[in-house]
Amino acid sequence: MARGNGLLNPHPCGALAGLSASDAVITLTHEVKTLQMAGKMVSTLFLDIKGGFDNVNPSTLCSMLRAKGVNQYLVSWTKSFLSGRSCRLLFQGSPKLFAPVAVGTPQGSPVSPLLFVIYVSRLHSDIPLGLSLSYVDDFGLTVSSTSSRQNIQILQTQYARPKARGARLGVWFSVPKTVLIHTRTNSDRSPISNFPIHLDGSVFPPKGEVRLLGYWFIPWISTTPHFVKTLTKAQATFVAVKRLSLPGIALPHFLCHRLASSLLFPILSYGADAFVPTIPMNRKLSAFWYKVQRWTTNCFMSTPTDILAIEACLPQLHLLLRYKRRPAHLRALCSPPEINPAAARLPPSVQTPSLHR
């Protein structure tokens, strides 16, 4: 209904069926590399809406629904859902009286994220040789030109548009969470750009690392720093898990297997649906996974890795990572391009199911 009535912009990737964080990351990575192949300098400004769900105005949202031709009963239901609410603070010595709440959507309700995405859909705008992408309350403005200095000027102009539109809606961007990054290719031999951006009286220098939805980006768009962080977290968790057993008494094998598959592997492989580790990084990840398999089976150090995987009932890591990437690839192949921005960037030569395209 929301898509049919034109309530959604094609570039939001969160709180919508058939989309996930990996679609946003794949879209952003593809757009950056495509612009770099064209010889452009690419810069991205990451923004975060301050307060988010707490700033949705029911009257403004209902007016937006009416303007798009939504049935009156749905407009009335939305107004009833967002109106007549109250809240109180809970802490020692706090008053027990409830205060009325005039704006905001109740967090925890499955419909609140969708209403918020509809509410902020006007913040998107078309960027020539660039991209405006969002995931719920996280926005990214990507621009390109012949220099980083020119990118700063373009970003300042592009930032003014969602800022003005957001002010009319009663939403603002959080200053502490604003991040700038200048991307570059591995073959670029020019000096690293340190041009900052000035927004709302604050100066934001470019960062060497940026975290977007749990995925780590660096100016060279390499996946190694991301998997270094996931490996470090998995190793620290593995040390803590091994302390669960008493000295001299190992955990039962089925508990070790459950911890390995449900705790260690998700930490180690986070982001593998959008990022592919390099060959050296894949060796490091596999070496850690062999330790997990050996801990699960309590086998000798001389046990071959192929037999170790069978005994532990834990497949080799490269097979698990390939299986984890498959749903993201199938989602991009089977999604209509007007719904999934990653699917819209598939080349025409890629064969997709005609039923969905």
Side-chain angles (χ1 to χ4, degrees):
M1 184 275 294
R3 296 190 185 277
N5 288 88
L7 295 171
L8 298 174
N9 188 279
H11 289 154
C13 294
L16 300 173
L19 294 173
S20 70
S22 63
D23 295 306
V25 173
I26 292 173
T27 302
L28 177 60
T29 304
H30 176 275
E31 197 71 16
V32 170
K33 291 187 175 182
T34 301
L35 294 171
Q36 287 178 340
M37 291 175 62
K40 301 292 184 180
M41 299 291 291
V42 185
S43 302
T44 301
L45 182 67
F46 296 100
L47 306 167
D48 184 271
I49 295 180
K50 186 177 182 179
F53 290 23
D54 298 334
N55 295 319
V56 176
N57 189 301
S59 300
T60 304
L61 178 60
C62 291
S63 299
M64 295 169 60
L65 298 178
R66 294 191 192 96
K68 292 295 185 178
V70 177
N71 292 331
Q72 182 58 39
Y73 77 90
L74 286 176
V75 178
S76 300
W77 182 90
T78 302
K79 184 177 181 180
S80 175
F81 176 73
L82 298 177
S83 303
R85 294 188 173 273
S86 60
C87 70
R88 69 175 181 179
L89 300 178
L90 292 179
F91 57 89
Q92 187 175 3
S94 63
K96 298 183 179 180
L97 299 177
F98 283 87
V101 178
V103 295
T105 59
Q107 297 195 30
S109 172
V111 76
S112 293
L114 176 60
L115 295 178
F116 178 77
V117 171
I118 294 174
Y119 189 73
V120 299
S121 61
R122 294 182 179 181
L123 302 185
H124 286 277
S125 61
D126 294 331
I127 301 178
L129 296 178
L131 173 69
S132 174
L133 194 68
S134 70
Y135 188 89
V136 191
D137 59 347
D138 294 317
F139 276 71
L141 304 179
T142 301
V143 300
S144 64
S145 65
T146 57
S147 66
S148 299
R149 186 186 296 272
Q150 189 175 355
N151 285 346
I152 293 298
Q153 298 175 355
I154 299 174
L155 282 173
Q156 289 174 333
T157 302
Q158 294 296 333
Y159 170 77
R161 297 178 181 177
K163 176 187 175 183
R165 296 174 182 176
R168 291 192 290 267
L169 295 175
V171 296
W172 296 268
F173 293 109
S174 175
V175 174
K177 297 182 179 181
T178 301
V179 181
L180 170 68
I181 184 172
H182 297 304
T183 59
R184 52 194 288 124
T185 62
N186 291 328
S187 59
D188 192 354
R189 294 297 180 263
S190 61
I192 298 176
S193 175
N194 293 319
F195 292 115
I197 187 170
H198 297 258
L199 300 173
D200 301 333
S202 300
V203 180
F204 301 95
K207 297 290 187 179
E209 284 185 335
V210 175
R211 184 182 182 185
L212 174 65
L213 306 175
Y215 299 76
W216 286 91
F217 288 86
I218 63 171
W220 289 270
I221 311 297
S222 171
T223 62
T224 298
H226 172 83
F227 287 108
V228 167
K229 294 183 182 297
T230 61
L231 177 59
T232 302
K233 291 181 179 179
Q235 290 172 336
T237 306
F238 187 40
V239 172
V241 165
K242 289 192 294 185
R243 294 174 181 171
L244 295 176
S245 59
L246 297 175
I249 303 177
L251 289 175
H253 294 312
F254 76 93
L255 288 181
C256 294
H257 179 274
R258 185 176 301 177
L259 288 171
S261 58
S262 61
L263 178 62
L264 297 177
F265 176 72
I267 297 175
L268 182 66
S269 64
Y270 185 86
D273 49 357
F275 288 165
V276 179
T278 60
I279 294 177
M281 191 68 235
N282 192 51
R283 292 196 187 101
K284 295 180 181 179
L285 296 174
S286 298
F288 169 75
W289 191 242
Y290 293 150
K291 294 180 180 180
V292 174
Q293 292 173 332
R294 205 174 304 279
W295 168 72
T296 303
T297 59
N298 199 21
C299 289
F300 295 106
M301 295 295 295
S302 59
T303 305
T305 55
D306 293 337
I307 298 178
L308 194 63
I310 297 174
E311 289 293 329
C313 295
L314 295 172
Q316 295 184 5
L317 187 64
H318 71 276
L319 298 176
L320 292 174
L321 295 182
R322 187 184 307 171
Y323 179 79
K324 188 170 183 176
R325 286 193 294 269
R326 187 174 300 173
H329 295 171
L330 290 176
R331 184 169 57 250
L333 287 172
C334 298
S335 299
E338 63 273 10
I339 293 179
N340 193 327
R345 284 156 176 79
L346 292 174
S349 59
V350 175
Q351 297 182 0
T352 58
S354 58
L355 176 64
H356 299 279
R357 300 299 296 271

